[in-house]
Amino acid sequence: MNPLHLDATQIHAAKLVDLAAGTLVMVPTEATSAAGPFWALRFNAEKEDGEVRGIIWLNGVPWHGPEPSFYGMPLDGTGWEGMSGIACALAHIEIDMSSGAGRAAREMRWDQAAGYIAVGSRGTFLIGEKSKRESMWGAHYAIDVSAWSEVDDAYRDAPVEWFSRWSILVETKRGAVMMPFEARSRGPARGT
């Protein structure tokens, strides 16, 4: 992972639920098998009871290590409300246009596309994996990168293209820093 050299005034520690949607977050590892840190993006999801704050882990989960990457989970009502991290900056996503799925895009499924960027007529979405307990048919988060909010029924439209390589762009006082991600790679190679 590219190191972020941020000015000390640019970062702060806080509970993840208190951070704005779209914030790039760094969380130290809790696993002895993984050096960490782990990176995540805060987003908002919708449930029957209203808005729920969530997180998508980009290069693994602090208490499991590098797998699973691109795993999304709610923070509200799960006992994780007290989890803290370091807020680095609001994130912007830049897509490697040469990483499109091409002809295979028609065969891709939303619930098997964790880590991909889906682009269609309804928007541009970062796809995160949901717990297998959410649905027996597979479940996913489709996070609109313009609003950092889940769009529950994004699957109703077929994306025009799926992109596997993308980067988070963070503005620093030294200039922009890119953190690259690759949805097709497995294990610790993601986000390196």
Side-chain angles (χ1 to χ4, degrees), residues 116-130:
Y116 279 82
I117 302 290
V119 179
S121 59
R122 296 184 62 195
T124 301
F125 305 97
L126 169 59
I127 309 303
E129 180 181 348
K130 276 188 182 179

Side-chain angles (χ1 to χ4, degrees), residues 11-34:
I11 62 173
H12 67 279
K15 289 183 180 177
L16 299 184
V17 293
D18 294 335
L19 300 175
T23 301
L24 176 66
V25 179
M26 184 186 85
V27 178
T29 186
E30 295 180 18
T32 56
S33 61

Side-chain angles (χ1 to χ4, degrees), residues 3 21 28 53 71-72 79 88 114 121 124 175 187-188:
R53 294 165 291 191
Y71 180 75
C88 297
S121 59
T124 301

Side-chain angles (χ1 to χ4, degrees), residues 1-2 4 24 39 166-170 177-181 191:
M1 179 87 47
N2 289 351
L4 288 180
L24 176 66
W39 297 92
W166 49 275
S167 297
I168 292 178
L169 189 67
V170 175
V177 175
M178 293 177 67
M179 299 173 69
F181 293 91

Side-chain angles (χ1 to χ4, degrees), residues 40-63:
L41 287 169
R42 252 278 293 120
F43 71 95
N44 294 323
E46 289 294 325
K47 294 278 185 193
E48 302 83 37
D49 302 336
E51 189 174 82
V52 174
R53 294 165 291 191
I55 196 98
I56 182 169
W57 298 101
L58 301 173
N59 64 328
V61 182
W63 51 91

Side-chain angles (χ1 to χ4, degrees), residues 145-163:
V145 299
S146 65
W148 294 108
S149 184
E150 178 187 19
V151 177
D152 240 356
D153 65 347
Y155 66 88
R156 295 186 188 277
D157 293 337
V160 174
E161 186 59 277
W162 300 84
F163 295 97

